[in-house]
Amino acid sequence: MNHRNRNSPNEISQPLVSGSAMEEIKSDSTPQHRLIPVEPQVVLSEPPKSKRVASLDIFRGLTVALMILVDDAGEEWPMIGHAPWNGCNLADFAMPFFLFIVGMAIALALKKIPSQLMAIEKITLRTLKLLFWGLLLQGGYSHKPDKLTYGVDVKKIRLCGILQRIAFAYLVVALVEVLSRKAQSRDQPAQSRDQPFGHFSIFKSYFWHWLVGACILVVYFTLLYGTYVPDWQFTVNDSDSDYFGRNFTVACGVRGSLDPPCNAAGYLDRKLLGINHLYPYPAWRRSKACTENSLYAGPFRNNAPSWCFAPFEPEGILSSISSILSTIIGVHFGHVLIHFQDHSARLKQWITMGFALLIFGLVLHFTHVIPINKQLYTLSYVCVTSGAAALVFCVFYSLVDIWGLKYLFLPLEWIGMNAMLVFVMAAMGIFAGFINGWYYEDPHNTLIYWIKKHLFIGVWHSRRVGILLYVIFAEILFWSIVAGILHRFRLYWKL
């Protein structure tokens, strides 16, 4: 490893990561994120067998489990679902946690790919695979598990989504990581084992990453506050809606608005993607302005403003540009893991930056300078969620990689090592849709329906509690066991 003390108790072996295709939300069967304990004053003739940084797998598994929880229990427990507009609920941490993990994985996976051209080829291929799966899973082809239908009108396919955003952030930051190597190599020879990276020199060595981040902020703020948003019209295309086919007009004519109807992010998506390709059920439908029983989804108010019926893309173009910042911060944490020589130095760097980000974001929000908003992916949202990701990872790193308490988190580690499989089958509802396809007499009389009704809701005499426990035990715990069995046989989903 670059300029590391051989006697360090946490030395990272080489190569750091083989070219796994989905490093950002899964782990490969080949050794990755590896730490090697090296006994002092022992000369090793051969490289010792390495092991994974288990805390990163566990953090990845926690994020996938969090997504399953908020997606499948959020309807009954809306306080954990996405905030309708400003604010940050539990669900709003999932996306930036994923992107933070993407960044750490980039730093580890690409550091020692020998050829720049080879690295770019791998990055491009992974990006295309992510885009393909994103369109297939969230473009509208796959329907809800209880619909028993599939297929999408290509005129109305949703172009953006979770995996598409991950693909975009991964592509940009991974290219910066690879293309800036020459600049890094000019700075790093000055760092020797006797003079390891300091808390500020590591920022200087990876100057290009932060320069790109600053440029992203300039572009984001310029478009968000400088774009003029005119009045706009739309037609309700949801066939299940009582307002299907009705035309609405939204009055705007403003610049710099961060409100739901007239923000620049929505305007750019409508112009560049087309309004028919946006997400038709935005979280703002549960806001007080739209529904009688906010935060629950329900009938619209009789006097609900016209924009309540409109589509909006939460993973749109402008918000995806600012989401790159979450990945850049994650890359920095990966660089610290690589270059810093001991646990205490790493934790000092991570915890300091985590608290700084968290406090700065909260100050921006509560002073009403920039609200925390997941839909717009504002700077305050980036700081708060990245700071939270940093501190959560520090907790796992301390408990698992320092104190050796990995056994407490085995279910999350198993999910994290096969996260793509669990994400597709559980979070996207593919497995539930398959099971629901086998019913008795009535399409609603399925195994999943029976388990929910008789083993959870009926036992607890509460639909809310029953659904919550069903998600925890019949989905998250079930898939952790499946992932554990697959890990036992070294079977992993590779894209």
Side-chain angles (χ1 to χ4, degrees), residues 226-254:
T227 302
Y228 176 78
V229 181
D231 298 348
W232 53 284
Q233 297 178 334
F234 69 95
T235 302
V236 177
N237 291 321
D238 182 6
S239 58
D240 296 329
S241 172
D242 295 335
Y243 300 89
F244 176 66
R246 284 189 57 179
N247 297 317
F248 290 92
T249 299
V250 181
C252 288
V254 296

Short mmCIF file of all heavy atoms in Angstrom, two decimals, residues 226-254:
data_model
loop_
_atom_site.label_atom_id
_atom_site.label_comp_id
_atom_site.label_asym_id
_atom_site.label_seq_id
_atom_site.Cartn_x
_atom_site.Cartn_y
_atom_site.Cartn_z
N GLY A 226 -30.83 30.23 -10.39
CA GLY A 226 -30.81 31.13 -11.53
C GLY A 226 -31.77 30.80 -12.65
O GLY A 226 -32.00 31.63 -13.54
N THR A 227 -32.33 29.59 -12.66
CA THR A 227 -33.22 29.17 -13.74
C THR A 227 -34.62 29.77 -13.56
O THR A 227 -35.22 29.65 -12.49
CB THR A 227 -33.33 27.64 -13.80
OG1 THR A 227 -32.02 27.09 -13.97
CG2 THR A 227 -34.23 27.22 -14.96
N TYR A 228 -35.12 30.39 -14.61
CA TYR A 228 -36.48 30.94 -14.58
C TYR A 228 -37.48 29.82 -14.86
O TYR A 228 -37.33 29.08 -15.83
CB TYR A 228 -36.63 32.05 -15.62
CG TYR A 228 -38.03 32.61 -15.72
CD1 TYR A 228 -38.50 33.52 -14.78
CD2 TYR A 228 -38.88 32.21 -16.75
CE1 TYR A 228 -39.80 34.03 -14.86
CE2 TYR A 228 -40.17 32.71 -16.84
CZ TYR A 228 -40.63 33.62 -15.90
OH TYR A 228 -41.91 34.11 -15.98
N VAL A 229 -38.49 29.70 -14.00
CA VAL A 229 -39.49 28.65 -14.13
C VAL A 229 -40.82 29.29 -14.55
O VAL A 229 -41.45 29.99 -13.74
CB VAL A 229 -39.68 27.88 -12.82
CG1 VAL A 229 -40.72 26.77 -13.00
CG2 VAL A 229 -38.35 27.29 -12.35
N PRO A 230 -41.26 29.09 -15.78
CA PRO A 230 -42.53 29.68 -16.22
C PRO A 230 -43.73 28.84 -15.76
O PRO A 230 -43.58 27.78 -15.15
CB PRO A 230 -42.39 29.62 -17.74
CG PRO A 230 -41.55 28.41 -17.99
CD PRO A 230 -40.58 28.33 -16.83
N ASP A 231 -44.92 29.33 -16.06
CA ASP A 231 -46.13 28.53 -15.82
C ASP A 231 -46.04 27.25 -16.64
O ASP A 231 -45.44 27.23 -17.72
CB ASP A 231 -47.38 29.31 -16.21
CG ASP A 231 -47.55 30.59 -15.40
OD1 ASP A 231 -46.83 30.74 -14.39
OD2 ASP A 231 -48.39 31.42 -15.77
N TRP A 232 -46.67 26.18 -16.15
CA TRP A 232 -46.61 24.92 -16.88
C TRP A 232 -47.91 24.16 -16.73
O TRP A 232 -48.70 24.40 -15.82
CB TRP A 232 -45.42 24.07 -16.44
CG TRP A 232 -45.31 23.80 -14.98
CD1 TRP A 232 -44.88 24.66 -14.01
CD2 TRP A 232 -45.62 22.57 -14.31
NE1 TRP A 232 -44.90 24.07 -12.78
CE2 TRP A 232 -45.34 22.77 -12.92
CE3 TRP A 232 -46.07 21.33 -14.72
CZ2 TRP A 232 -45.52 21.79 -11.96
CZ3 TRP A 232 -46.25 20.33 -13.77
CH2 TRP A 232 -45.98 20.55 -12.42
N GLN A 233 -48.14 23.26 -17.67
CA GLN A 233 -49.37 22.48 -17.71
C GLN A 233 -49.06 20.99 -17.73
O GLN A 233 -47.97 20.58 -18.15
CB GLN A 233 -50.21 22.86 -18.94
CG GLN A 233 -50.67 24.30 -18.97
CD GLN A 233 -51.45 24.62 -20.25
OE1 GLN A 233 -51.25 23.98 -21.29
NE2 GLN A 233 -52.33 25.61 -20.16
N PHE A 234 -50.03 20.21 -17.31
CA PHE A 234 -49.87 18.77 -17.37
C PHE A 234 -51.24 18.10 -17.39
O PHE A 234 -52.26 18.72 -17.04
CB PHE A 234 -49.06 18.25 -16.18
CG PHE A 234 -49.77 18.36 -14.86
CD1 PHE A 234 -50.48 17.29 -14.33
CD2 PHE A 234 -49.72 19.54 -14.13
CE1 PHE A 234 -51.13 17.39 -13.12
CE2 PHE A 234 -50.37 19.65 -12.91
CZ PHE A 234 -51.07 18.57 -12.40
N THR A 235 -51.26 16.84 -17.84
CA THR A 235 -52.46 16.02 -17.87
C THR A 235 -52.26 14.83 -16.95
O THR A 235 -51.20 14.20 -16.97
CB THR A 235 -52.75 15.52 -19.30
OG1 THR A 235 -52.90 16.65 -20.17
CG2 THR A 235 -54.03 14.69 -19.33
N VAL A 236 -53.26 14.53 -16.13
CA VAL A 236 -53.16 13.39 -15.22
C VAL A 236 -53.24 12.10 -16.02
O VAL A 236 -54.26 11.83 -16.69
CB VAL A 236 -54.28 13.43 -14.16
CG1 VAL A 236 -54.21 12.21 -13.26
CG2 VAL A 236 -54.18 14.70 -13.33
N ASN A 237 -52.17 11.29 -15.98
CA ASN A 237 -52.11 10.05 -16.78
C ASN A 237 -52.32 8.79 -15.94
O ASN A 237 -52.25 7.69 -16.47
CB ASN A 237 -50.75 9.96 -17.49
CG ASN A 237 -50.61 11.00 -18.59
OD1 ASN A 237 -51.57 11.29 -19.30
ND2 ASN A 237 -49.43 11.57 -18.71
N ASP A 238 -52.55 8.96 -14.64
CA ASP A 238 -52.77 7.82 -13.76
C ASP A 238 -54.19 7.31 -13.95
O ASP A 238 -55.17 7.96 -13.54
CB ASP A 238 -52.54 8.23 -12.31
CG ASP A 238 -52.69 7.06 -11.34
OD1 ASP A 238 -52.88 5.92 -11.81
OD2 ASP A 238 -52.63 7.29 -10.12
N SER A 239 -54.33 6.12 -14.55
CA SER A 239 -55.65 5.58 -14.85
C SER A 239 -56.44 5.23 -13.59
O SER A 239 -57.66 5.10 -13.64
CB SER A 239 -55.54 4.35 -15.75
OG SER A 239 -54.74 3.35 -15.13
N ASP A 240 -55.76 5.07 -12.46
CA ASP A 240 -56.44 4.76 -11.20
C ASP A 240 -56.95 6.02 -10.49
O ASP A 240 -57.64 5.91 -9.48
CB ASP A 240 -55.51 4.00 -10.27
CG ASP A 240 -55.13 2.63 -10.83
OD1 ASP A 240 -55.96 2.05 -11.55
OD2 ASP A 240 -54.00 2.16 -10.54
N SER A 241 -56.58 7.17 -10.99
CA SER A 241 -56.96 8.42 -10.34
C SER A 241 -58.35 8.87 -10.79
O SER A 241 -58.76 8.68 -11.94
CB SER A 241 -55.93 9.51 -10.66
OG SER A 241 -56.37 10.77 -10.20
N ASP A 242 -59.09 9.51 -9.86
CA ASP A 242 -60.39 10.09 -10.21
C ASP A 242 -60.24 11.27 -11.15
O ASP A 242 -61.21 11.71 -11.76
CB ASP A 242 -61.12 10.55 -8.94
CG ASP A 242 -61.48 9.39 -8.02
OD1 ASP A 242 -61.62 8.25 -8.53
OD2 ASP A 242 -61.62 9.61 -6.80
N TYR A 243 -59.03 11.78 -11.26
CA TYR A 243 -58.78 12.95 -12.11
C TYR A 243 -58.11 12.57 -13.43
O TYR A 243 -57.55 13.42 -14.12
CB TYR A 243 -57.89 13.95 -11.36
CG TYR A 243 -58.50 14.44 -10.07
CD1 TYR A 243 -58.30 13.75 -8.87
CD2 TYR A 243 -59.29 15.59 -10.04
CE1 TYR A 243 -58.86 14.20 -7.68
CE2 TYR A 243 -59.86 16.04 -8.86
CZ TYR A 243 -59.64 15.34 -7.69
OH TYR A 243 -60.20 15.78 -6.52
N PHE A 244 -58.17 11.29 -13.78
CA PHE A 244 -57.54 10.80 -15.00
C PHE A 244 -58.03 11.57 -16.22
O PHE A 244 -59.24 11.73 -16.43
CB PHE A 244 -57.83 9.32 -15.18
CG PHE A 244 -57.29 8.74 -16.46
CD1 PHE A 244 -55.93 8.64 -16.68
CD2 PHE A 244 -58.16 8.30 -17.46
CE1 PHE A 244 -55.43 8.10 -17.85
CE2 PHE A 244 -57.66 7.76 -18.64
CZ PHE A 244 -56.29 7.66 -18.83
N GLY A 245 -57.07 12.06 -17.01
CA GLY A 245 -57.40 12.79 -18.22
C GLY A 245 -57.61 14.28 -18.05
O GLY A 245 -57.71 15.01 -19.05
N ARG A 246 -57.65 14.77 -16.81
CA ARG A 246 -57.87 16.20 -16.59
C ARG A 246 -56.59 16.98 -16.81
O ARG A 246 -55.49 16.51 -16.52
CB ARG A 246 -58.39 16.45 -15.17
CG ARG A 246 -59.84 16.09 -14.97
CD ARG A 246 -60.34 16.57 -13.62
NE ARG A 246 -60.16 18.01 -13.44
CZ ARG A 246 -60.52 18.69 -12.35
NH1 ARG A 246 -61.08 18.03 -11.34
NH2 ARG A 246 -60.32 19.98 -12.26
N ASN A 247 -56.74 18.20 -17.32
CA ASN A 247 -55.62 19.09 -17.55
C ASN A 247 -55.54 20.12 -16.42
O ASN A 247 -56.57 20.64 -15.98
CB ASN A 247 -55.75 19.81 -18.89
CG ASN A 247 -55.72 18.86 -20.06
OD1 ASN A 247 -54.91 17.94 -20.09
ND2 ASN A 247 -56.61 19.05 -21.03
N PHE A 248 -54.32 20.39 -15.97
CA PHE A 248 -54.10 21.36 -14.91
C PHE A 248 -53.03 22.35 -15.35
O PHE A 248 -52.13 22.02 -16.13
CB PHE A 248 -53.65 20.69 -13.62
CG PHE A 248 -54.72 19.88 -12.93
CD1 PHE A 248 -54.85 18.53 -13.20
CD2 PHE A 248 -55.58 20.48 -12.02
CE1 PHE A 248 -55.83 17.77 -12.56
CE2 PHE A 248 -56.56 19.74 -11.39
CZ PHE A 248 -56.69 18.39 -11.66
N THR A 249 -53.11 23.57 -14.82
CA THR A 249 -52.09 24.59 -15.03
C THR A 249 -51.51 25.00 -13.69
O THR A 249 -52.24 25.22 -12.72
CB THR A 249 -52.69 25.83 -15.72
OG1 THR A 249 -53.21 25.45 -17.00
CG2 THR A 249 -51.63 26.90 -15.92
N VAL A 250 -50.20 25.10 -13.62
CA VAL A 250 -49.49 25.51 -12.41
C VAL A 250 -48.87 26.88 -12.67
O VAL A 250 -48.08 27.04 -13.59
CB VAL A 250 -48.40 24.49 -12.03
CG1 VAL A 250 -47.69 24.94 -10.75
CG2 VAL A 250 -49.00 23.10 -11.86
N ALA A 251 -49.24 27.84 -11.85
CA ALA A 251 -48.74 29.20 -12.02
C ALA A 251 -47.40 29.36 -11.30
O ALA A 251 -47.30 29.10 -10.11
CB ALA A 251 -49.75 30.20 -11.47
N CYS A 252 -46.39 29.78 -12.05
CA CYS A 252 -45.06 29.99 -11.46
C CYS A 252 -44.53 31.37 -11.83
O CYS A 252 -44.81 32.34 -11.15
CB CYS A 252 -44.11 28.89 -11.92
SG CYS A 252 -44.42 27.27 -11.17
N GLY A 253 -43.75 31.45 -12.90
CA GLY A 253 -43.18 32.72 -13.30
C GLY A 253 -42.20 33.28 -12.28
O GLY A 253 -42.19 34.49 -12.01
N VAL A 254 -41.37 32.41 -11.70
CA VAL A 254 -40.45 32.83 -10.65
C VAL A 254 -39.05 32.28 -10.93
O VAL A 254 -38.86 31.43 -11.79
CB VAL A 254 -40.93 32.35 -9.26
CG1 VAL A 254 -42.25 32.99 -8.89
CG2 VAL A 254 -41.04 30.83 -9.22
#
